[in-house]
Structure formats: structure tokens, C-alpha cells
Amino acid sequence: EGDLGEWLEPRNAELTIYHHWDDSMVGVASVDHETRTIHFSAPAGHPAGAFGNHVPKARTYVVWNVREGMTRPGQWYLDRAAGRAVYWPLHDEKLADAVAFMPTTDTILHITTDDGAGVQNVVIRGLEFKTTTTPLIAGDFAATRLPGAISADTPLIDCAFEDLKITNVAGHGMNFKARWNRAIRVEGCEVDHTGAGGIYFNCDGAFVTENLVQHVGLMYPAAIGIFGGGDGYVISHNDVYDTTYTAINGGGGKGSRIEYNDMARAMLELNDGAAIYVIFAEDLIVRGNVARDIAGGTGARHAYYLDEQSERCVVTGNLALGVPSSSQNHWARHNRVEHNVFVNDGDIILHFPRSENYTIARNVIWASGKVQFRNIGAVARFERNICYTGTGVIEGVQYKSGQYRAAETVQIEPNDDLVDGDPLFVDAANGDYRFRPGSPALALGIEPIDVSAAGRTRR
């Protein structure tokens, strides 16, 4: 009541419905103002209001493409009812000199075959791709239903995509999610300003490196910067900035690596994601990465996240700056979190709901507030960690068996495997996390991490 009025034109209006970790983009079929009911033109991914208890009240839904949304120069909307585009010019802009691009296609480069046998040994290099549209449908988790400016619906084998630029597209930059892909290489590309995600692949032996992905999810906030799955893939030396949801997603498969990536300002809109989010993975290594300023709050926004059924994974040598929830682990087991540096001006949380048999070793955790291990019973072993706390509080939270609710919170007394002391960083303000003489880290045999190789090495 009070949100929408008679001005809502069903032929024009589009809605984004927020669902915590994903969203639904839908059109409007009809509006009944008497009962305050909107009928969608296509199904939403979840019922409207699903997971609403997790979503800030200001962002339960948004109405797009209506005249009432035009509040400043430079904005526009497509008036389908009148058959015209309406634009509010910038100050001193001469429309006679303006150029408008109106996309009519979902995909610019579509790789396919008649027999489904796949494409081998194709190289696409040095091209620029701009301006696509998308169908008005709900994208589902990670907006996976949407096309890319470059898309393949047939298996790709030993194919390479090098030094490409993809900008101002409504869907993904690249989408290679057909089954049975092998040995795709994406190298030296730039994907900037996308409605959905950046680089998407499902591929055994993929190699995704030296790419810049930024400003993604501008129309579909569930979209992800780099979304990967398969056995033995490598995601390394990428810069991923300004993503509405997760920066890098690793799903399924065995023996993959996500390493030496630089990520900042992820999780700008949705929840329950991370700078690096991993699910259903075995023997995966997450190492040498930097995660900075991940949404600036604890609201289910994390630095490094091992989710359901992740086993025998190692999170090592990573840096998290300004991320209260530095290590999130859910329904995962037999994993190691070791040799990382987590720094936050405030509290730091390491969380292990429904997890088991974790090893927490040789980490340096620096918090101006307290350090808290939630569901501490999931940790089988602590080994030579340093926890500096500005409040002198290190807590362990016991959960009720198989649940997400706390049964008891206890103060942890410092010991040889959880040392309460200042690690004496050389110059943390300028990114030097080596240890000065006299650091307790040196006495424990903890080597300083080196994240100087994180991100692109050629720019």
C-alpha cells in the first residue's frame, strides 16, 4: 500500500524481486489496483517475498522502465505503449549530435554446430563486443539462464579467447556453460559494465587468467564476476571489482585452483556470497588471493566461503581486509584454513555451521574488536594461530547439534595454538604484512604471506 499508483503502465514496467542470494527480473502482465496485486508476465525464480527476512526493507523489489523513475538528466526509458524511447538530455547536450544504440540481439558471437559434436581449436583474439539485450526472464542463481555477448551451446575443446573487450552488454560477457567443454582458455580480456555476469564456464581443464572484470550485475544483481565449474580448472591473476554478488564462484569438480586474484567491492547488493565462493568442490585450493572491502558489513557477506559438500579443500596464503566475516564454511568437512591474514577494524568471525573436522593453522587474525569462532565444535585442530584483539576477547560459540542456533558462548583462554598477541606487521597501512623483530609469529614459525602477485601481472 502506498508504493505504486495508477501511473504504473503494465506494458512498460519491469520488476526486480530480491531473494537474498538471487533475484527475479519479471515483466508486468496486469495490475489490479483495488486488491494491490501485480501479475507477472513470466514466473519468478522464487515466490515474491521468499527469504524476505534477510533482505533490507529498502530492497525487497524495484520498479524499472517507468517515467516516474526518471529523476535526473541522463536517464531514459522505453515507452513500449507509445512506441518510443524517452530520454532526458544532459545539460547543454545537443540531441542532433547524440548517438543512441538500441540493442536487438542477445548474443553477438554464437558458437554452435548442427550435430552437437563440438568445436575444436578455435581462437578468437583482439576483438571488441558491445551492446546486447536480454529476454525478460528471471535469471535464477547467478543469473545462469541469461546469454552472453559470446556464447557457446556446443562443447568447446582447446579453444581460446584472448585480448577481447566486452562492454555495455545486458547479459554476460562470455557464457561457455555447455557440458563437456575441455581446455578452454580465457586470457587478457576486459569485461566491463554488464547487466549480468562477466566470464562463465563449465569446463574441465579451463584456464582463466589475466582478465579484468568489473561493474557487473547492473541489471541482474545475482550475477557473478567469474563463474566456473568442472575438474582441474584454474582461475588465476584476475582483477574482479564492483560486483553486486560474488566476485569469483567455483563450483563442483575436483582438483581445481583459484589463486592470485585481486577482488574489491563485491557483494554490493545481495547476501550469502563472498569474494570467493566455493560449492560442491573436492581437493580445491584457494591461495594467494586478496579480498578487500566486501560490502563493509557482516550481513552474510564473506571473504572466503566453502559451502555445501566442499571436502578436502585448502584455503591458504590469502589476505582479507575490511571483511568482518573473513572465513565462512557451511556444511563442509575435512578442510584446512591455514596461513592466511585476516585484518578488520572491528570484529572478525570464522563461521562453521553444520561443518566438521576443520584444521585452523598458522593464521594471523587482527581485529580491533573481538575474534569469534562460531560453531567451534567443527574445528578438530587449532595449530599455532595468532589472534590479536583490541578488546582482549576471543570467543567460541557452541551450536546446537545440526542447527544454526547458539547453545553457549565461552571465552577462549589463549594457548600455544591460539596466541593472543600483536603480530607486529611491518607496515599494515601500506600493505606490508611481514613481521617485525619480536613478533610472536616468528616464534611460532609462521612465515609472512606474499600476495604481491595477486591480480593481473600485465595491465
Side-chain angles (χ1 to χ4, degrees), residues 280-362:
F280 304 131
E282 298 180 31
D283 303 303
L284 180 141
I285 296 174
V286 178
R287 69 181 172 195
N289 302 283
V290 176
R292 295 175 283 124
D293 302 321
I294 309 304
T298 59
R301 297 156 179 171
H302 317 286
Y304 305 104
Y305 189 165
L306 301 181
D307 203 359
E308 298 183 20
Q309 310 306 313
S310 294
E311 295 190 33
R312 301 183 306 279
C313 298
V314 179
V315 179
T316 181
N318 303 285
L319 176 63
L321 296 175
V323 191
S325 183
S326 295
S327 177
Q328 171 76 1
N329 308 270
H330 172 241
W331 221 327
R333 50 187 175 265
H334 313 303
N335 301 308
R336 296 181 65 89
V337 178
E338 62 184 17
H339 200 207
N340 303 285
V341 173
F342 302 146
V343 177
N344 187 50
D345 187 10
D347 298 342
I348 285 183
I349 299 164
L350 289 81
H351 197 195
F352 308 91
R354 294 194 174 184
S355 297
E356 61 183 73
N357 198 29
Y358 263 74
T359 297
I360 309 299
R362 302 190 308 282

Side-chain angles (χ1 to χ4, degrees), residues 16 26 40 96 99 121 128 139 144 147 177 217 223 240 243 254 297 309 314 317 324 381 394 398 403 414 416 427 443:
T16 293
V26 295
F40 300 159
V99 178
N121 302 313
E128 216 170 315
T144 52
K177 291 185 62 61
V240 186
T243 63
K254 299 180 180 180
Q309 310 306 313
V314 179
R381 288 170 297 280
I394 305 173
Q398 300 281 3
Q403 298 186 21
D416 292 342
D427 188 4

Side-chain angles (χ1 to χ4, degrees), residues 175-195:
N175 192 351
F176 309 130
K177 291 185 62 61
R179 297 185 65 188
W180 318 123
N181 291 318
R182 296 201 310 273
I184 296 173
R185 188 173 79 253
V186 181
E187 183 171 357
C189 299
E190 296 183 9
V191 183
D192 190 356
H193 281 81
T194 65

Side-chain angles (χ1 to χ4, degrees), residues 30-70:
S30 63
V31 181
D32 185 330
H33 291 287
E34 184 175 343
T35 63
R36 302 196 305 277
T37 302
I38 294 177
H39 296 273
F40 300 159
S41 63
H46 303 287
F51 317 110
N53 57 319
H54 298 293
V55 179
K57 290 183 179 179
R59 282 295 176 91
T60 55
Y61 72 98
V62 173
V63 181
W64 304 97
N65 201 52
V66 291
R67 178 183 292 273
E68 286 69 22
M70 295 178 66

